[in-house]
Amino acid sequence: MGTLSFRRQAAYTILLFSLLLLLLLLLVPRAGHDSDMSFWVAWGKDIFYQGLGNVCKTPSNSYNPLYHYILWFFGWVLGDVDKFIYYRHWLKAFTLVFDFAGAFWAASLVRERDRRFGLVLLLLLNIGYLYDTLVWIQVDAIYTFFAFGAVVLAVRQRAVPSMLLFVLSLAAKPQSMIFLPPLLLLWVPLWWQRPRQLVVALVAGAALMTLILAPFIWGGEENYLPRIMEINLGAANFFPYLSMNAFNIWHILVPTPDPLTAPDSQLFAGITYRAWGLLMFFVASALALLPLLLLTVRNLRQQRISPFVAAAYSPDDFAQVLLSIGLIPLLFAFFNTQMHERYWHAAVLFLAAYGFLRSDYVLYIIVSVAYFLNLESVLRYLELRKYSVLVFEPRFVASLFALAIVVGLVKLYRLTAWRKEWHLISQPVREEIVPDLSAGYQPV
């Protein structure tokens, strides 16, 4: 198949988005988790009657500010509360934009332009990727897109835009914090080479966050910044149970009593389950981020030797970064307590992008299948006759996620060029190390 021109790709994109949105709005007109939809309606009504700046005073409000802008805009366009309630399922259209944007950005990382449109379809026709937005009508695609963009821009040496996208990700969901450690590993070489970028990035990030928070600080009846901080600081202990429907390690280790009702404050060997979960997550994350740490040390070492050479990432390095960071949301949802079934979402986009670069789709398939099974087992939108079959059993789905983690770590450590990294890191500072372009070491 010949390469599609930019104009034709843009036309196909608009056509595909319009058709898919129309079909899904028609075919799935009354989807959504009842509890979540009741929140959207309640917050939308509060915004309509009391203004955007006062929505945080609602006791049930546990979301960061960014999505409230969408609720405000939706209400403003409709101009009527009754219409907001009736057309509430159309809120999925806003989040679907981020699903599309993430799919096209991931596909754009592939150099072969003739492959890109097919790869976009590989994501957009994946029910495991779209279920959260189109059936559950949740908003995880928003923070996922911004976190993914922050990583891509950091690899491409654009520290300030990367910081801005990370701020937007944080403004959407507090779960975005799990991406801060790997992003710091990507940002440090950029800041080391150009310290001024650190100041500019921090100032720009603070300015953007202030702009987002402004209506809630100065536009309401009172300053709701303490309330927003309380929401974020309390997010880690809002549901003190072993699991909030994420089929993870706790469904394997503690199947009885039900992890959905068992408190995570119980002790094992003198330590609470919650603390055990955090410990396992930190250890597993260290394993997942070790190759990324080596890349960071290599780039810092290179800059000490050649101060005017920018940190460079080869295509293999880029794939390694995506795989390393793509494992983090898997580890986060698999080991920690209090995890919801939707917290796997970000892994799908990162692992898809890794698969596109390496033509290796094993992890993407396993995680997509497991994620769909977890969501459908909880929501049961398809209304299948039996959900007691093996594929919907929590321990089976948890085993799929465990398999994905093991396979992902094996692939990550095989992809890491240990000898090459150690050689570059261990060279004396006085020597000049020039990347071997003939070996494919080219900046992405």
Side-chain angles (χ1 to χ4, degrees), residues 145-168:
F145 167 78
F146 287 128
F148 178 78
V151 169
V152 172
L153 292 179
V155 172
R156 290 179 169 169
Q157 321 299 307
R158 301 179 65 185
V160 176
S162 174
M163 172 67 78
L164 294 179
L165 288 189
F166 178 64
V167 168
L168 288 172

Side-chain angles (χ1 to χ4, degrees), residues 87-401:
Y87 293 110
R88 64 190 181 276
H89 298 90
W90 287 62
L91 280 166
K92 72 179 76 172
F94 295 94
T95 309
L96 189 60
V97 171
F98 293 92
D99 285 303
F100 267 72
F104 275 89
W105 202 343
S108 72
L109 304 181
V110 177
R111 292 183 176 181
E112 301 87 355
R113 291 183 60 186
D114 59 319
R115 291 181 56 207
R116 292 177 181 173
F117 197 72
L119 295 176
V120 169
L121 293 179
L122 191 61
L123 258 173
L124 295 183
L125 298 179
N126 174 11
I127 186 61
Y129 179 62
L130 292 182
Y131 191 112
D132 185 64
T133 298
L134 295 167
V135 181
W136 202 287
I137 311 187
Q138 256 291 347
V139 298
D140 300 275
I142 299 176
Y143 88 87
T144 294
F145 167 78
F146 287 128
F148 178 78
V151 169
V152 172
L153 292 179
V155 172
R156 290 179 169 169
Q157 321 299 307
R158 301 179 65 185
V160 176
S162 174
M163 172 67 78
L164 294 179
L165 288 189
F166 178 64
V167 168
L168 288 172
S169 184
L170 278 177
K173 280 291 186 77
Q175 293 96 288
S176 302
M177 281 300 299
I178 64 175
F179 296 105
L180 181 58
L183 277 170
L184 285 174
L185 292 177
L186 294 173
W187 287 335
V188 164
L190 308 180
W191 294 340
W192 181 271
Q193 184 186 32
R194 299 176 184 174
R196 185 167 174 263
Q197 282 199 0
L198 171 59
V199 178
V200 174
L202 292 177
V203 171
L208 178 59
M209 184 59 78
T210 301
L211 185 64
I212 294 170
L213 293 173
F216 310 96
I217 298 176
W218 299 291
E221 297 173 358
E222 61 181 273
N223 179 359
Y224 291 103
L225 180 59
R227 169 62 178 158
I228 294 173
M229 295 179 63
E230 178 187 352
I231 290 171
N232 283 266
L233 294 175
N237 200 29
F238 199 74
F239 299 101
Y241 302 102
L242 289 182
S243 173
M244 287 300 297
N245 285 317
F247 295 163
N248 54 19
I249 192 172
W250 301 106
H251 287 270
I252 299 175
L253 298 181
V254 192
T256 53
D258 189 349
L260 304 182
T261 59
D264 63 355
S265 57
Q266 296 180 84
L267 297 178
F268 178 78
I271 302 176
T272 65
Y273 283 132
R274 181 171 181 265
W276 277 114
L278 286 169
L279 179 61
M280 290 187 288
F281 169 59
F282 290 148
V283 171
S285 296
L287 290 175
L289 294 179
L290 177 59
L292 183 55
L293 175 62
L294 291 180
L295 287 177
T296 299
V297 174
R298 183 197 71 191
N299 284 329
L300 288 172
R301 184 74 170 176
Q302 176 64 39
Q303 288 172 14
R304 288 187 63 193
I305 297 170
S306 304
F308 300 104
V309 177
Y313 293 90
S314 70
D316 282 344
D317 291 340
F318 203 171
Q320 180 180 316
V321 169
L322 291 170
L323 178 54
S324 178
I325 299 178
L327 287 171
I328 297 301
L330 280 183
L331 300 173
F332 175 69
F334 187 75
F335 289 111
N336 282 302
T337 61
Q338 309 185 27
M339 294 292 101
H340 288 263
E341 64 290 311
R342 296 171 285 101
Y343 289 0
W344 313 100
H345 187 84
V348 179
L349 181 58
F350 277 93
L351 296 179
Y354 159 77
F356 295 167
L357 287 178
R358 296 286 297 175
S359 296
D360 179 3
Y361 305 106
V362 173
L363 281 173
Y364 169 62
I365 293 172
I366 296 174
V367 172
S368 296
V369 171
Y371 184 38
F372 164 72
L373 292 175
N374 197 163
L375 291 174
E376 175 60 20
S377 179
V378 176
L379 189 60
R380 303 192 176 187
Y381 178 78
L382 298 178
E383 297 183 358
L384 302 176
R385 292 186 63 184
K386 292 183 66 176
Y387 283 91
S388 58
V389 295
L390 175 64
V391 294
F392 290 110
E393 282 291 327
R395 279 177 289 183
F396 174 78
V397 178
S399 298
L400 288 180
F401 284 120

